[in-house]
Amino acid sequence: MLVVIGTGVIAIYCFIWFIVSTWIADPQEMEIAVSLAEEYIIDTNRENVELKGSYFDDGGVFPFEYAANAKNTKDQTEFFIYFNDRSQRMEDSYVAKKWENELRKNIKGYIKQKLKKIDKIYIKFDESVGYVYQVDPNQPSSYKNYDATPSIDIEIPRKKKEDDIRLFNEILTFLQNEAKLTHAKLSVTYMKDGVLVENEIWEGSF
């Protein structure tokens, strides 16, 4: 009986240790991420890039576990430099972040004018978009010159209204005609401070 109990306690302890360990960054891996980023900057002849430490993705959101935090000192864009576990190569998310910032600047005012109150706006281009479209990171052009598809997620802190579908479709039209996006995925959630107000999500795309 004692052996069984002891074995069970050890098994539970090992399981808890395994779970907790996945939430804690390995200092050595963090250092490696920065070293790889330093080599990457030299190998790719990157300009105006400054490293600002390291990042650990404990939620599995990105295509990497460890990355170096970087900043373009010319336009102040913050991004990651990392080894992409999917493509098995060193990459960075500079172009994606620059395009996200550009798109946010171009659409935020219009969306706030249309919807009045907004809780949050999330704009997301794939981290590897710069590599997919072969964009020169030292001379990055606008997202308007490519057919990349961003995801735009809006949270509005209120109940559903009768003319919402019309408003959402007008936003889609604005994204295409005024923001000059070739493709986009738009979703609107009725949510306030992380809590759903309506159990419904509107989605549209082009």
Side-chain angles (χ1 to χ4, degrees):
M1 179 67 74
L2 291 176
V3 172
V4 172
I5 294 174
T7 302
V9 170
I10 293 173
I12 293 172
Y13 174 80
C14 290
F15 176 75
I16 294 174
W17 177 85
F18 173 77
I19 295 298
V20 172
S21 65
T22 61
W23 299 339
I24 301 174
D26 184 334
Q28 186 175 357
E29 292 292 339
M30 300 285 265
E31 292 179 6
I32 292 174
V34 174
S35 296
L36 289 174
E38 291 172 341
E39 295 176 8
Y40 174 81
I41 291 171
I42 296 172
D43 293 342
T44 56
N45 299 312
R46 293 298 293 274
E47 300 172 0
N48 307 309
V49 176
E50 178 182 69
L51 295 181
K52 308 290 288 184
S54 53
Y55 176 82
F56 171 57
D57 178 26
D58 60 348
V61 176
F62 298 101
F64 59 79
E65 190 172 13
Y66 295 92
N69 285 315
K71 182 179 181 180
N72 184 295
T73 56
K74 185 176 181 179
D75 60 25
Q76 307 304 306
T77 300
E78 297 183 356
F79 60 100
F80 294 126
I81 299 176
Y82 55 90
F83 181 80
N84 190 321
D85 296 329
R86 300 168 189 165
S87 65
Q88 292 293 295
R89 67 186 177 196
M90 287 295 296
E91 296 183 1
D92 71 82
S93 60
Y94 170 66
V95 173
K97 294 304 175 185
K98 184 172 178 59
W99 286 2
E100 288 168 9
N101 293 340
E102 179 189 1
L103 181 56
R104 180 176 287 103
K105 182 179 179 181
N106 290 343
I107 69 175
K108 188 174 181 180
Y110 177 83
I111 292 175
K112 290 184 71 174
Q113 176 190 341
K114 279 291 177 183
L115 302 179
K116 307 306 180 185
K117 290 185 178 181
I118 298 172
D119 208 19
K120 293 178 182 177
I121 298 179
Y122 298 98
I123 299 175
K124 178 72 174 175
F125 280 96
D126 185 271
E127 283 85 5
S128 301
V129 71
Y131 292 88
V132 173
Y133 292 93
Q134 295 294 295
V135 182
D136 183 354
N138 290 324
Q139 295 181 323
S141 53
S142 171
Y143 68 82
K144 297 177 183 179
N145 299 325
Y146 303 88
D147 63 355
T149 305
S151 295
I152 303 168
D153 303 314
I154 304 172
E155 295 179 3
I156 51 178
R158 62 169 174 78
K159 290 280 188 177
K160 181 179 178 181
K161 294 183 179 180
E162 187 175 339
D163 64 342
D164 277 352
I165 293 179
R166 177 184 61 81
L167 292 175
F168 301 158
N169 278 309
E170 287 179 359
I171 292 173
L172 268 183
T173 300
F174 176 86
L175 294 175
Q176 187 171 20
N177 296 340
E178 303 301 326
K180 303 301 182 183
L181 283 166
T182 304
H183 304 287
K185 295 179 180 179
L186 174 67
S187 70
V188 183
T189 305
Y190 299 93
M191 181 176 289
K192 182 177 181 180
D193 299 326
V195 179
L196 283 173
V197 178
E198 296 273 9
N199 292 317
E200 182 178 330
I201 298 176
W202 184 91
E203 295 180 315
S205 63
F206 57 85

